[in-house]
Structure formats: structure tokens, C-alpha cells
Amino acid sequence: MEVSDALPGADLIRAGLEDLSRGVESIPSLLLLDGAPRLRQLGFVVPDTPYFPEDRLYEKLAAENQDSAHSRYNALIRTLVSFERAAECVRP
């Protein structure tokens, strides 16, 4: 599915989809795994995972910078939710 540049966080979502397709565990791909149920309803192909992606996402953020992990995690989740809400409004 095409990700419109008009949607909030389009670059982040696009990067996550690319990483998922290549099997790369990154911050964007883990974010998409966390939002997988809603993204699937919107028509995006997001695989299932046997682990809790939100925990791995937080660990990856904390490994980069422990002091900012919590605020960065919350900001990423807000971006994901904004994208999902906007995508719901424009989907055919």
C-alpha cells in the first residue's frame, strides 16, 4: 500500500515498512509491529510477531539514550496514532 507524504509520520512509516520487508529490526519496524492490528485494518502488510514489540522498541531506545527513552517512545506512539487516524480518513 502506498504511503502518502501528506500523512503525518509518512517517512517513519515508510522506513518501518521497508525494514520489515527486509527483516531488519529497527525503531521504525518495531513501531509498526506495535501498531500492527490497526495498520492491518488499514490495508498494510505487517507480520505477526511472537514477542512484545513495545518492549523491544523501548529497549532499543534506551540503548541509544536511557534518559530520553521514555519521551521518545511516547513521541513515536503519538506519531503512529496520528498516522493511523489520518490514514483512516483518506482510505477508499
Side-chain angles (χ1 to χ4, degrees):
M1 183 171 190
E2 185 72 23
V3 178
S4 170
D5 287 332
L7 298 174
D11 289 341
L12 181 64
I13 302 303
R14 214 175 282 115
L17 290 169
E18 269 184 44
D19 288 349
L20 285 173
S21 72
R22 293 186 328 221
V24 175
E25 184 179 276
S26 64
I27 289 171
S29 68
L30 289 169
L31 179 65
L32 267 58
L33 289 172
D34 190 23
R38 194 166 179 189
L39 289 169
R40 283 188 205 112
Q41 289 176 349
L42 293 168
F44 292 95
V45 177
V46 181
D48 282 326
T49 180
Y51 56 83
F52 296 105
E54 61 272 13
D55 292 341
R56 292 180 78 136
L57 173 58
Y58 191 89
E59 289 168 6
K60 196 169 263 301
L61 293 168
E64 286 183 3
N65 185 336
Q66 180 68 38
D67 293 336
S68 68
H70 184 74
S71 61
R72 288 180 63 209
Y73 177 85
N74 287 334
L76 287 167
I77 295 298
R78 283 192 302 273
T79 301
L80 174 63
V81 170
S82 292
F83 174 85
E84 292 168 335
R85 287 180 180 165
E88 284 175 342
C89 292
V90 297
R91 85 179 206 198

